[in-house]
Amino acid sequence: MANLRDIKRRIKSVRNTSQITKAMQMVASAKMRRAQELALKGRAYISALANVLSHLQSAIQEGSSPLMQRREQGRTLVLVINTDKGLCGALNANLLREVLSRCPEDADYVTLGSKLRSTLSRLGRRVTHGFSVSDGMQEGELKPVFELLREGFEQGRYNRVIVAYQKFINVMVQRPQVAELLPVTPEELLQVAEQDELEDSDNSNFLLEPSPRELLGSILPLYVTNLLVQMVLEGKASEQSARMVAMKSATENAKSLIGELTLEYNKARQTQITNELLEITTAMKAME
């Protein structure tokens, strides 16, 4: 009987776990739809900004803005956009592997999300700052992060700023990316602008007011800020997608385990009943 009680206890425990993972799957699914919608809309906006800036290349030169200046001296700053919560499969592990293979060891590291903060420190990477943002992220939450990156670059402490994040491909695929945020290069602007084909754009009739230099001073910080926001949105969409898939897999595994435990319980119960019948039969024969 003790064995049967243990099996029933395990079945109840696994069933309760499956209810929790099912609820987490539904929550992640709802958050994923919102995050996916924001990430996809943000791509078009970034491409439009890059398209405007690409038209300024004939009127300005590289290095005209502090955000475009190249420096030989200085350290590298790496911003790692990871998650604050777990239960999202191998999402953070894949990002960490990409960071360790592509980012310099002597760089300064800033984490946006807490899951990889202690891991990077334990692996010998110098983590100088740590930030967190909510699931329903507002652009204002990233202001301290952007100010830290911008001031460090403009003041010459860093010669470049790199961002490591998860790019949202689809619900099943999230791809770790390592991209250079600063300095902004003309090649990067053209590449981003080409990602969104604008059929109605006409380079010859593109009118710029006021002067290209003034436009650059106002649009370029806006572009860098929104590019950082877009990277965070990609990470949020990837996180919720990975969590939904992980919780769905956990729920299915729990159901499979419940079936196996139920079969084991039935076999044990059948064996017990058979033994009881044998004992009764043996006792009846002994009384004859």
Side-chain angles (χ1 to χ4, degrees):
M1 291 297 292
N3 186 37
L4 291 178
R5 285 197 297 268
D6 291 341
I7 296 175
K8 289 185 69 175
R9 192 179 297 112
R10 288 187 62 192
I11 292 174
K12 183 179 179 180
S13 177
V14 174
R15 184 174 288 114
N16 292 338
T17 302
S18 68
Q19 292 174 351
I20 295 173
T21 56
K22 179 65 175 179
M24 294 182 67
Q25 174 191 341
M26 296 175 66
V27 171
S29 178
K31 291 182 178 180
M32 181 204 67
R33 296 189 189 97
R34 176 61 176 167
Q36 178 181 350
E37 179 183 357
L38 291 175
L40 295 178
K41 287 183 177 179
R43 292 177 184 177
Y45 183 61
I46 291 297
S47 296
L49 283 176
N51 186 49
V52 173
L53 288 170
S54 65
H55 290 286
L56 303 177
Q57 296 305 316
S58 59
I60 61 175
Q61 296 180 352
E62 184 175 339
S64 301
S65 169
L67 299 178
M68 299 180 72
Q69 291 181 357
R70 291 182 177 272
R71 303 183 185 91
E72 296 298 331
Q73 297 180 348
R75 299 172 62 90
T76 299
L77 179 63
V78 181
L79 173 64
V80 182
I81 302 175
N82 59 104
T83 69
D84 285 307
K85 303 174 183 178
L87 301 177
C88 50
L91 191 74
N92 289 316
N94 293 336
L95 181 62
L96 178 63
R97 190 180 302 112
E98 193 76 6
V99 170
L100 295 178
S101 62
R102 297 186 57 185
C103 297
E105 294 184 12
D106 59 348
D108 288 347
Y109 285 78
V110 176
T111 59
L112 186 59
S114 60
K115 277 299 177 179
L116 293 182
R117 190 175 304 160
S118 59
T119 304
L120 288 170
S121 298
R122 190 170 62 252
L123 293 174
R125 303 301 169 102
R126 184 171 180 264
V127 180
T128 59
H129 295 81
F131 299 91
S132 296
V133 293
S134 59
D135 288 335
M137 183 203 67
Q138 301 295 324
E139 188 172 338
E141 296 182 60
L142 292 177
K143 186 177 180 180
V145 183
F146 178 71
E147 291 299 325
L148 175 67
L149 304 183
R150 180 177 178 177
E151 289 178 3
F153 181 78
E154 291 183 345
Q155 293 174 5
R157 294 198 305 271
Y158 304 108
N159 60 1
R160 61 174 182 157
V161 177
I162 298 175
V163 181
Y165 67 102
Q166 287 283 359
K167 184 176 178 63
F168 175 78
I169 305 300
N170 53 51
V171 176
M172 300 299 296
V173 180
Q174 301 84 38
R175 189 170 300 155
Q177 301 285 324
V178 175
E180 189 172 277
L181 183 67
L182 295 173
V184 180
T185 62
E187 296 78 15
E188 175 197 341
L189 294 175
L190 290 174
Q191 182 180 3
V192 175
E194 290 173 356
Q195 292 177 0
D196 187 32
E197 298 181 359
L198 302 176
E199 297 180 357
D200 297 333
S201 63
D202 188 351
N203 296 352
S204 61
N205 296 328
F206 207 93
L207 181 62
L208 299 175
E209 291 184 0
S211 67
R213 187 171 295 276
E214 292 180 11
L215 281 174
L216 181 69
S218 59
I219 296 180
L220 192 58
L222 181 65
Y223 167 77
V224 176
T225 303
N226 283 276
L227 183 58
L228 178 60
V229 172
Q230 179 62 27
M231 291 174 174
V232 176
L233 291 176
E234 297 277 351
K236 288 294 182 183
S238 299
E239 175 187 354
Q240 299 302 337
S241 299
R243 182 169 292 118
M244 186 197 71
V245 172
M247 292 301 98
K248 181 179 180 181
S249 177
T251 302
E252 292 175 351
N253 290 338
K255 291 180 179 179
S256 176
L257 182 57
I258 290 174
E260 295 176 2
L261 290 173
T262 302
L263 180 60
E264 183 180 351
Y265 175 84
N266 291 336
K267 288 181 178 180
R269 179 61 177 160
Q270 184 178 12
T271 300
Q272 183 184 28
I273 293 174
T274 302
N275 291 335
E276 291 176 354
L277 289 175
L278 287 175
E279 291 175 0
I280 294 173
T281 306
T282 302
M284 290 179 61
K285 289 185 176 181
M287 294 175 61
E288 291 178 356

